[in-house]
Amino acid sequence: MASGSGSNFEALVEACRAGRPQAEVVVLVVNNPGCGAAQRADRLGVPWQLLDHRVHSDRAALDRALVTVFHERGVDLVVMAGWMRIVTPVLIGAFPDRLVNIHPSLLPSFRGVDAVGQALAAGVTLAGCTAHLVSEEVDAGRILVQAAVPVLAGDDRSSLAARIQRQEHRILPLAVQLAADRLAPQG
Ligand code: GAR
């Protein structure tokens, strides 16, 4: 699931193709027509679908449409790779412990929107990113992997976000592997 440029989506596809994690990205869903993520999917040869939140009556209706797509495609695990919509129990309940989000802060600091701007405003010297399981409380589910990123003198939103994203591309595939391992039958 992606809303924007799709750099995390692409990093995950490349990681899967390299065998770490041992997974296949079977479908991308985007909510913004013409977003970068859909263009990357075309280039990478990954099927994608548009579910535009503007044509759904509410958040739950959008999530019902998402669940339908994922069930049709036989999806085991769902990744919110820059999905800028709040999700509901409809999606969370359909993929318990199988819904991973990437967030550009060291949670539990700076939940919600504009986490990078929040970090800059707070004057922290260490920022970062978190891959976590999704729960009903926003940006509060079980943490899977984090990476710390220094805030440098003169950083603005864009320079810090770019440095954080390089780490996101590294930890998101690790988190997907961890989430899959947690689900795998033991023994
Ligand atoms: C990523 O930095 C991700 O952490 C953030 O959106 C960006 C998407 O970039 N997600 C959130 O802020 C979710 N609350 P991308 O489209 O290039 O992967």
Side-chain angles (χ1 to χ4, degrees):
M1 297 160 63
S3 302
S5 104
S7 70
N8 277 285
F9 158 72
E10 179 161 359
L12 188 57
V13 170
E14 296 295 359
C16 290
R17 288 180 177 173
R20 293 182 68 84
Q22 288 188 335
E24 182 192 354
V25 180
V26 292
V27 66
L28 168 73
V29 174
V30 301
N31 64 312
N32 288 318
C35 68
Q39 293 166 22
R40 289 181 199 254
D42 279 337
R43 175 161 51 74
L44 293 162
V46 175
W48 63 274
Q49 268 178 252
L50 170 67
L51 291 181
D52 190 334
H53 59 278
R54 299 162 195 88
V55 305
H56 291 274
S57 53
D58 57 19
R59 294 187 196 282
L62 175 64
D63 284 1
R64 278 194 294 277
L66 283 161
V67 170
T68 299
V69 169
F70 296 148
H71 283 164
E72 281 169 0
R73 299 271 184 170
V75 164
D76 296 312
L77 191 144
V78 178
V79 178
M80 293 164 55
W83 183 254
M84 296 307 187
R85 310 293 305 167
I86 290 175
V87 295
T88 70
V90 171
L91 179 63
I92 299 165
F95 291 92
D97 291 332
R98 293 156 197 261
L99 184 59
V100 174
N101 182 44
I102 183 79
H103 182 76
S105 80
L106 286 175
L107 291 173
S109 294
F110 312 131
R111 292 174 178 164
V113 293
D114 191 20
V116 177
Q118 291 184 56
L120 285 170
V124 296
T125 57
L126 207 53
C129 46
T130 303
H132 64 96
L133 293 175
V134 176
S135 62
E136 286 184 33
E137 195 182 342
V138 173
D139 297 330
R142 174 190 279 268
I143 290 171
L144 295 170
V145 189
Q146 293 186 297
V149 172
V151 181
L152 303 181
D155 259 342
D156 57 16
R157 262 196 192 74
S158 132
S159 61
L160 181 55
R163 196 174 311 111
I164 290 172
Q165 279 202 336
R166 284 198 287 280
Q167 293 306 312
E168 292 183 342
H169 301 164
R170 200 174 60 80
I171 70 168
L172 186 56
L174 292 173
V176 170
Q177 183 69 64
L178 269 181
D181 288 347
R182 280 165 47 91
L183 295 170
Q186 304 299 308

